[in-house]
Amino acid sequence: MLFEKQVILLDEEAADSQEAEAKLADRLYDEGLVTDAFKVAILKRESEFPTGLQTETIGVAIPHTDADKVVSPQIGFMRLKQPVMFHQMGDNAEIQVKLIFMLALKHSDDQLKMLQTLMALFQNQEAIDKLEKITTKTDFLKLMKEVNIDQ
């Protein structure tokens, strides 16, 4: 289960994308899911290969890094109280991001499959609307099961 440790942060505050990423990476580390090199690697990779995406109504980001920094596969999720600027994947334009899915996966094949699954989620406006409104970790986990992300 990719949300087993429930690294699910709702309505967090962050001054910028780096602070948001650092908070989520720290939580994954605190749960023993990633190595101490994970946070630095996430921040470096995001600065070089941005992962922000603009959906129909909201900006999302899917930061990730090399599998050798992962101890146990998980996905961290953060919904920000106020959006922060990320650079968009592909064209590097700045976008306001409110939802972050941080991938900590052990195999590059798993990472590719999850990126494809998340892309489908981001095109599901009903699911995105729910992500913006959920109030509990239980509701989040239920939604992830509904959209086939956490079996």
Side-chain angles (χ1 to χ4, degrees), residues 17 50 52-54 84-89 91-97:
S17 61
L53 293 167
Q54 184 64 51
V84 296
M85 286 294 198
F86 269 76
H87 287 199
Q88 185 160 279
M89 190 183 298
D91 66 11
N92 217 19
E94 285 191 332
I95 61 168
Q96 295 273 340
V97 165

Side-chain angles (χ1 to χ4, degrees), residues 9 14 16 57 63 76 104 129 132 136 150:
L9 308 176
D16 55 31
T57 58
D129 291 345
E132 285 190 80
T136 68
D150 201 25

Side-chain angles (χ1 to χ4, degrees), residues 79-125:
R79 181 179 67 207
L80 292 158
K81 205 175 259 189
Q82 297 297 321
V84 296
M85 286 294 198
F86 269 76
H87 287 199
Q88 185 160 279
M89 190 183 298
D91 66 11
N92 217 19
E94 285 191 332
I95 61 168
Q96 295 273 340
V97 165
K98 192 166 183 183
L99 305 176
I100 302 169
F101 286 85
M102 185 171 283
L103 307 186
L105 302 175
K106 290 288 283 176
H107 305 286
S108 54
D109 289 356
D110 293 342
Q111 218 167 45
L112 182 59
K113 286 178 196 162
M114 184 51 62
L115 289 169
Q116 292 168 335
T117 302
L118 287 170
M119 294 298 194
L121 168 65
F122 301 154
Q123 293 170 8
N124 178 341
Q125 193 54 51

Side-chain angles (χ1 to χ4, degrees), residues 64-91:
H64 53 281
T65 192
D66 300 324
D68 66 344
K69 316 279 187 302
V70 176
V71 175
S72 181
Q74 289 285 291
I75 297 175
F77 174 77
M78 177 185 284
R79 181 179 67 207
L80 292 158
K81 205 175 259 189
Q82 297 297 321
V84 296
M85 286 294 198
F86 269 76
H87 287 199
Q88 185 160 279
M89 190 183 298
D91 66 11

